[in-house]
Amino acid sequence: MNRFVDRLLAALLLAIGMLCLTRVYFALGGEGAGDAFASARLAFFGAAGVFSALAALLFWAGLLPGRSKPGPAIPLFGRGAETQPGRRPRLRQLFAVVPFLAVLALVVDQLGPWWRQPQDAGKSLTAEQPAPSAPKGEDVASAPAQAPEALERPEQTAAPPPPQGANPGASAKSAQPPAPASPSAVALAPSVSPPEAAPAPAPPQTVAPLPQAPPPLPTQPDGHREPVVWLAVAPDGQSIMSASTDRTVKLWDVDGKRLIRTLGVHKDMARTALFLPDGARALTAGDDGEIVLRQLSDGAVLHVFSSGQNGGVNKLAISPDGKRAVSGHDTGRVIVWDIEKGLVLHVTPGHDWSISGVAVSPDGTRAISGSIDGTLKLWDIGTGKQLRSWHGHERGPYGVVFMADGRHLISGSGDYTIKLWDLDTGREVRRLEGHSGTVYALALSADGNRLLSGSLDGTARLWDMETGSETALFDSRSGPVYAVAFAADGTVLTGGYDRTIWDWPAGGGDGVVLFAGAPE
């Protein structure tokens, strides 16, 4: 085994010696030993090469034994095991270590800058040398353009051959460049550049002005301090309720154009405010998970329906008779409430994602829920059972409303579309397109012929449900529209990011501020 190791080491040392001698050979053939430092390097690598070759020969011949060998009569294991020292251990270490130091020197020398050939250095300087700039005072525009070949290969620039029949001596003289003038001569010599041509007259320009900024919106101290996210019109059309992310629900007098009262304040942002059919009470809900039954005359709290661990109330709808309410929660659950008895009727598993919209059918027997994952589910309010489920949109249906026949549903979504569905088959009947942002709210006119949509694109749009065409556009120019409703006189109401409640003519055109937001 020791013999095999010695021969392997000999082969390695021979390779090291060859590398050192090769380095000396190429150095002498190229750069040579021009200075003392170069001569010392060559001498070192020459000596290291010869030393490594000698060490290889000694190891191959077995003249430098390595490991100590046990005596013939001494046990290999146990307390009595002893060894006899081998021959010449220090000489073996010397012949093994020095060549490996030479390898280290080779690596360092290879990385150093002193072995670069002169031609390589010249090439790098040529590549890094900046192009000569024109002399000061010279007219750069009058200088002839250089050919691309001359720019790429400046060292190969040559004079063109003389034309046939010309005097070679004269050509040689004309090819001689003129002697450079002294600095003072250049400064005093008259300019030889041709006279500058008169500048061409500038072409006529038409500059578009900046668009006129809309006038600042009016404010009122008792207005909402944050976006309006819900609007509802009283059965008699005389008042409006609004819910805001500022946590308040406000009651407004339409004819008097004044705030009647702040009806209530939720612990978190208010989401929904609905009039009950009797016109004397209202249900308000918010992210605090509470559905509060309030008296309109003074805002007194009559009952609190708490969702408990089922999460905040994102959307709320009530049956036409005012006896039942359906709430959709951020946990994906749908809850059916008995308003008259103050009871929880059903808590359904609902959706896997947060609820984005709910609605109750005109006959009060069914409810629809939509989730931000784009699914729609139809429920039986009496039993709490799911009747149908389908993936209606690519994103959440934030606005959902039943048609008057109870057999068709309209949904507006984060995929910017409004779809009409046949609930008996779950089939899409019609698609309304035109918004460039999430359709966040829908409202259907009392006669069922007109649909009002509000979008995060900052517009509200009026649609003809018979033809599916857009009949009017209302541009707030002040941010997303979160809430829409039809006023009693047929005009359009919107609320949104600007904290303002707007009134728009049904035929389109500019709106007016009905109730302004609070100062910022």
Side-chain angles (χ1 to χ4, degrees):
M1 181 66 181
N2 289 341
R3 183 68 173 160
F4 174 76
V5 172
D6 283 353
R7 293 200 170 188
L8 185 63
L9 189 58
L12 183 60
L13 292 174
L14 182 61
I16 294 173
M18 295 300 295
L19 284 174
C20 292
L21 294 176
T22 302
R23 171 51 62 92
V24 174
Y25 173 78
F26 282 111
L28 289 175
E31 180 187 72
D35 54 16
F37 179 66
S39 300
R41 289 202 327 273
L42 295 180
F44 170 79
F45 286 120
V50 173
F51 191 89
S52 299
L54 178 62
L57 180 62
L58 294 176
F59 275 104
W60 186 271
L63 299 178
L64 296 174
R67 232 178 245 183
S68 302
K69 298 178 181 179
I74 296 176
L76 296 176
F77 304 100
R79 184 176 297 176
E82 295 180 1
T83 59
Q84 294 180 353
R87 297 170 294 168
R88 299 184 291 276
R90 294 185 181 278
L91 187 61
R92 176 187 177 89
Q93 293 175 2
L94 176 65
F95 275 96
V97 170
V98 170
F100 286 103
L101 293 177
V103 171
L104 181 61
L106 281 171
V107 173
V108 174
D109 191 67
Q110 182 67 28
L111 298 177
W114 40 78
W115 280 102
R116 287 186 182 174
Q117 298 298 332
Q119 56 269 26
D120 294 339
K123 289 180 182 178
S124 63
L125 288 176
T126 303
E128 296 174 2
Q129 184 177 4
S133 58
K136 293 182 180 179
E138 184 178 350
D139 189 354
V140 180
S142 63
Q146 298 184 15
E149 294 81 0
L151 292 176
E152 293 174 2
R153 296 176 295 174
E155 70 278 6
Q156 297 182 5
T157 302
Q164 295 183 358
N167 186 355
S171 300
K173 290 181 181 179
S174 62
Q176 294 289 336
S182 63
S184 59
V186 173
L188 297 176
S191 174
V192 296
S193 59
E196 295 184 358
Q205 293 185 3
T206 302
V207 180
L210 292 175
Q212 269 191 336
L217 294 176
T219 59
Q220 60 186 79
D222 52 7
H224 283 295
R225 299 186 177 277
E226 292 184 15
V228 176
V229 295
W230 191 268
L231 291 175
V233 180
D236 60 6
Q238 300 300 310
S239 58
I240 298 173
M241 268 196 308
S242 59
S244 170
T245 59
D246 65 6
R247 304 185 301 166
T248 66
V249 176
K250 294 181 180 289
L251 184 64
W252 308 88
D253 180 5
V254 175
D255 292 336
K257 295 185 179 181
R258 64 179 183 88
L259 177 69
I260 299 175
R261 68 178 51 85
T262 295
L263 195 62
V265 180
H266 279 267
K267 301 181 183 69
D268 205 333
M269 69 169 62
R271 294 275 191 170
T272 313
L274 298 171
F275 288 97
L276 266 66
D278 58 16
R281 297 173 299 165
L283 277 180
T284 68
D287 280 0
D288 55 7
E290 292 184 349
I291 302 171
V292 183
L293 181 63
R294 305 178 188 272
Q295 189 165 280
L296 292 175
S297 59
D298 55 5
V301 175
L302 305 176
H303 193 86
V304 176
F305 301 86
S306 176
S307 62
Q309 299 300 315
N310 293 293
V313 183
N314 287 348
K315 292 294 174 69
L316 181 69
I318 60 174
S319 60
D321 59 8
K323 295 181 179 179
R324 305 285 172 84
V326 178
S327 57
H329 299 260
D330 55 16
T331 57
R333 297 185 179 93
V334 177
I335 303 177
V336 181
W337 309 84
D338 188 319
I339 300 174
E340 297 298 323
K341 299 179 181 179
L343 300 175
V344 177
L345 299 180
H346 311 290
V347 178
T348 70
H351 300 260
D352 296 330
W353 295 85
S354 177
I355 301 296
S356 54
V358 294
V360 175
S361 64
D363 61 5
T365 62
R366 295 177 298 169
I368 195 76
S369 62
S371 171
I372 61 173
D373 63 0
T375 59
L376 290 161
K377 293 180 183 289
L378 185 65
W379 306 91
D380 185 299
I381 291 180
T383 63
K385 292 182 178 180
Q386 179 180 300
L387 303 176
R388 182 180 296 279
S389 177
W390 72 99
H391 190 83
H393 291 274
E394 295 302 318
R395 297 183 181 178
Y398 289 91
V400 289
V401 60
F402 279 89
M403 292 288 287
D405 60 7
R407 297 175 54 247
H408 292 85
L409 176 79
I410 308 170
S411 60
S413 168
D415 60 15
Y416 308 169
T417 65
I418 301 170
K419 296 182 180 181
L420 176 65
W421 303 94
D422 186 333
L423 292 178
D424 293 335
T425 63
R427 184 173 60 90
E428 179 184 333
V429 177
R430 181 178 294 159
R431 182 177 301 190
L432 310 180
E433 294 180 315
H435 282 293
S436 59
T438 295
V439 181
Y440 198 80
L442 295 178
L444 194 63
S445 62
D447 58 10
N449 294 329
R450 297 179 299 159
L451 177 71
L452 179 61
S453 59
S455 170
L456 302 190
D457 64 10
T459 69
R461 297 170 190 254
L462 199 59
W463 309 85
D464 186 324
M465 293 309 299
E466 290 293 330
T467 63
S469 60
E470 179 184 316
T471 61
L473 171 67
F474 314 99
D475 189 353
S476 70
R477 299 188 299 275
S478 56
V481 175
Y482 297 124
V484 294
F486 284 100
D489 60 1
T491 59
V492 169
L493 303 177
T494 65
Y497 180 79
D498 58 8
R499 315 181 315 280
T500 303
I501 300 173
W502 291 80
D503 188 12
W504 306 83
D510 294 333
V512 296
V513 174
L514 187 60
F515 301 110
E520 293 185 357

